[in-house]
């Protein structure tokens, strides 16, 4: 039985244009006993065991739940398919609730399929600082072969140093098994596939090499160190908010300065207006005191003209209201429409306002029907305030 993989003869090699490897990658995996193992990836695809990750390395986290333990709280990593598209921070909260985890998560969304989310425990990400999801890199390799869930695949490091198998169960979850120096690949893979309920064909099952995995790792995004708000990390948001606060404070100070100057200018203008008003009142009062005789003539009423004009406006059966002040007369002729005691026809009564002779110097200013439709109210005005004001403008000449 032959398990096919890229490094073995008989399989066409992919044409790869991968990013250059500029950082050391350390694999973080977990064996059945629960112990974490760290391996430094070598350029030839082999691994070297480490006590802990080396400084300035990028950790490739592969501590996913083992077969049959979907809600394993000891797992560091998870892969899930979201019910809809979400942002990274929203997906982290949704996945935490879905899995019933107490620990917060940091998430990375797949570029090829934004509904696929990779998650890692926030504490691990913050302590490690630079960490990428193992399954994300594996799925990059699977995409070339068109390998889709449900399936089983994995990575074999070196000739027989380390084997990490991943089962894609078809429900969006993944389960992992790590074997150190495996001696019977076919049996291990078959048993792992059976324990996850996945049917496989060993003759066509792709098992990738550590060299191929390392070639795609530089293209895999790292987990964010901090929660994100609309795709921006929280410290950046706070820094921008702080910068915005400083800018707002500066703008507020400028606005306050402008308003303070404007308020002082308004006070000066108000004082000028008040002084001008006082001066106008003083001038008016002075003119009134100096022109008492002229003021008397202006305020006097010409009763002869008032009575004469009232007689001209009055019509039989109507009421007349007249008043005069400051050289202006106002007359209101109230014509009732009730004809019980009238000899005139309705048409004559209604048309009286049209045929009425208006005295010289007078004019009609209103002609309305009362709200109860019982009478016409026809208003006239005689004289003008212009003459009064003109006489007052003569100032001290009036005596």
């Amino acid at each position: 039985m032959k398990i096919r993989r890229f490094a073995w003869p008989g399989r066409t090699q992919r044409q790869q244009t991968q990013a250059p490897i500029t950082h050391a990658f350390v694999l973080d995996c977990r064996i059945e006993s629960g112990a974490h193992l760290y391996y430094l990836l070598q350029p030839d695809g082999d691994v070297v065991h480490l006590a802990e990750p080396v400084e300035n390395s990028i950790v490739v986290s592969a501590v996913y739940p083992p077969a049959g333990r979907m809600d394993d709280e000891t797992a560091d990593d998870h892969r899930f398919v979201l019910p809809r598209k979400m942002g990274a921070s929203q997906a982290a909260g949704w996945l935490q609730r879905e899995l019933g985890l107490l620990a917060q998560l940091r998430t990375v969304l797949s570029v090829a399929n934004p509904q696929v989310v990779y998650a890692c425990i926030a504490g691990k990400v913050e302590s490690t600082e630079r960490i990428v999801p193992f399954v994300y890199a594996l799925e990059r390799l699977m995409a070339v072969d068109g390998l889709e869930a449900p399936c089983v695949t994995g990575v074999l490091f070196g000739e027989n140093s380390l084997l990490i198998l991943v089962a894609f169960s078809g429900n969006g979850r993944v389960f992992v098994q790590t074997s150190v120096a495996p001696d019977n690949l076919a049996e291990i893979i078959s048993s792992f596939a059976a324990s996850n309920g996945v049917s496989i064909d060993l003759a066509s099952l792709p098992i990738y090499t550590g060299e191929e995995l390392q070639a795609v790792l530089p293209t895999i995004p790292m987990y964010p160190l901090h929660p994100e708000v609309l795709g921006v990390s929280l410290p950046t948001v706070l820094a921008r908010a702080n910068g915005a606060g400083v800018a707002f404070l500066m703008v507020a100070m400028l606005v306050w300065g402008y308003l303070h100057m404007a308020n002082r200018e308004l006070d000066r203008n108000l004082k000028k207006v008040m002084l001008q008003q006082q001066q106008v009142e003083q001038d008016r009062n002075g003119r009134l005191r100096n022109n008492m005789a002229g003021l008397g003539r202006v305020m006097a009423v010409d009763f002869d003209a008032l009575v004469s004009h009232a007689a001209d406006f009055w019509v039989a059966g109507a009421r007349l209201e007249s008043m005069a002040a400051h050289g202006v007369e106002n007359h209101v002729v109230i014509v009732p429409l009730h004809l019980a005691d009238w000899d005139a026809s309705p048409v004559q009564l209604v048309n009286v306002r049209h045929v009425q002779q208006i005295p010289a110097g007078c004019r009609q200013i209103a002609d309305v029907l009362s709200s109860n439709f019982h009478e016409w109210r026809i208003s006239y005005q005689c004289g003008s305030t212009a003459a009064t004001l003109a006489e007052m403008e003569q100032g001290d000449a009036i005596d």
Side-chain angles (χ1 to χ4, degrees), residues 18-88:
Q18 306 295 352
I21 299 174
T22 57
H23 299 281
F25 289 96
V26 173
L27 181 66
D28 179 10
C29 55
R30 182 175 63 170
I31 57 178
E32 188 175 356
S33 65
H36 282 243
L37 299 178
Y38 300 100
Y39 292 92
L40 178 65
L41 274 63
Q42 302 298 301
D44 61 358
D46 206 346
V47 290
V48 175
H49 182 260
L50 300 173
E52 58 184 15
V54 295
E55 188 176 359
N56 297 324
S57 62
I58 297 177
V59 173
V60 184
S61 187
V63 187
Y64 295 88
R69 296 172 61 181
M70 182 177 296
D71 299 325
D72 182 17
E73 293 186 358
T74 64
D76 293 344
D77 305 280
H78 301 274
R79 188 262 194 194
F80 214 88
V81 176
L82 301 170
R84 63 184 184 279
K85 290 184 179 180
M86 303 179 185

Side-chain angles (χ1 to χ4, degrees), residues 277-297:
Q277 183 180 3
Q278 293 176 0
Q279 185 64 41
V280 169
E281 291 179 354
Q282 291 176 0
D283 293 343
R284 181 192 61 191
N285 293 336
R287 290 173 62 188
L288 292 176
R289 286 194 298 269
N290 294 333
N291 295 277
M292 296 303 295
L295 179 61
R297 290 195 301 271

Side-chain angles (χ1 to χ4, degrees), residues 80-339:
F80 214 88
V81 176
L82 301 170
R84 63 184 184 279
K85 290 184 179 180
M86 303 179 185
S89 58
Q90 184 182 9
W94 182 89
L95 187 56
Q96 183 182 7
R97 293 189 298 271
E98 183 71 15
L99 299 177
L101 299 177
L102 297 177
Q104 293 185 341
L105 301 173
R106 297 288 181 264
T107 57
V108 170
L109 299 177
S110 171
V111 175
N113 184 359
Q115 286 187 244
V116 175
V117 60
Y118 307 92
C120 187
I121 301 300
K124 180 176 180 178
V125 175
E126 293 169 357
S127 61
T128 306
E129 294 187 354
R130 295 193 296 179
I131 183 170
V132 297
F134 172 83
V135 171
Y136 196 156
L138 181 60
E139 288 192 81
R140 285 281 180 87
L141 298 174
M142 293 167 55
V144 177
D145 288 331
L147 189 60
E148 297 180 351
C151 64
V152 170
T153 185
V155 179
L156 180 63
F157 298 91
E159 289 298 323
N160 206 28
S161 301
L162 182 70
L163 174 65
I164 297 181
L165 294 176
V166 181
F168 293 83
S169 60
N171 63 357
R173 301 295 302 275
V174 296
F175 303 96
V176 170
Q177 176 177 296
T178 301
S179 301
V180 179
D183 55 2
N184 191 334
L185 298 182
E187 181 180 347
I188 292 174
I189 295 172
S190 298
S191 176
F192 178 69
S195 64
N196 285 280
V198 179
S199 178
I200 62 171
D201 180 7
L202 285 175
S204 60
L205 177 69
I207 296 295
Y208 304 97
T209 67
E211 187 177 6
E212 288 170 328
L213 178 72
Q214 191 169 202
V216 299
L217 285 176
T219 68
I220 306 302
M222 289 186 286
Y223 286 113
L225 289 177
H226 307 282
E228 295 184 349
V229 179
L230 298 177
V232 181
S233 65
L234 185 59
T236 302
V237 172
L238 295 177
R240 292 179 180 178
N242 185 53
V246 173
F248 176 79
L249 181 59
M250 294 180 63
V251 171
M253 292 178 63
L254 291 175
V255 171
W256 180 86
Y258 170 79
L259 293 178
H260 180 69
M261 295 179 61
N263 186 58
R264 293 183 62 182
E265 182 66 20
L266 180 62
D267 288 341
R268 288 194 293 268
N269 292 335
L270 183 60
K271 290 179 180 179
K272 290 181 180 180
V273 171
M274 294 179 64
L275 290 175
Q276 292 173 356
Q277 183 180 3
Q278 293 176 0
Q279 185 64 41
V280 169
E281 291 179 354
Q282 291 176 0
D283 293 343
R284 181 192 61 191
N285 293 336
R287 290 173 62 188
L288 292 176
R289 286 194 298 269
N290 294 333
N291 295 277
M292 296 303 295
L295 179 61
R297 290 195 301 271
V298 169
M299 299 298 293
V301 175
D302 188 346
F303 287 100
D304 292 337
L306 178 65
V307 173
S308 176
H309 290 154
D312 291 336
F313 290 127
W314 182 82
V315 292
R319 302 196 318 273
L320 180 66
E321 296 178 355
S322 301
M323 62 179 295
H326 309 300
V328 177
E329 301 174 13
N330 287 287
H331 303 270
V332 180
V333 181
I334 304 172
V335 183
L337 297 183
H338 180 64
L339 306 179

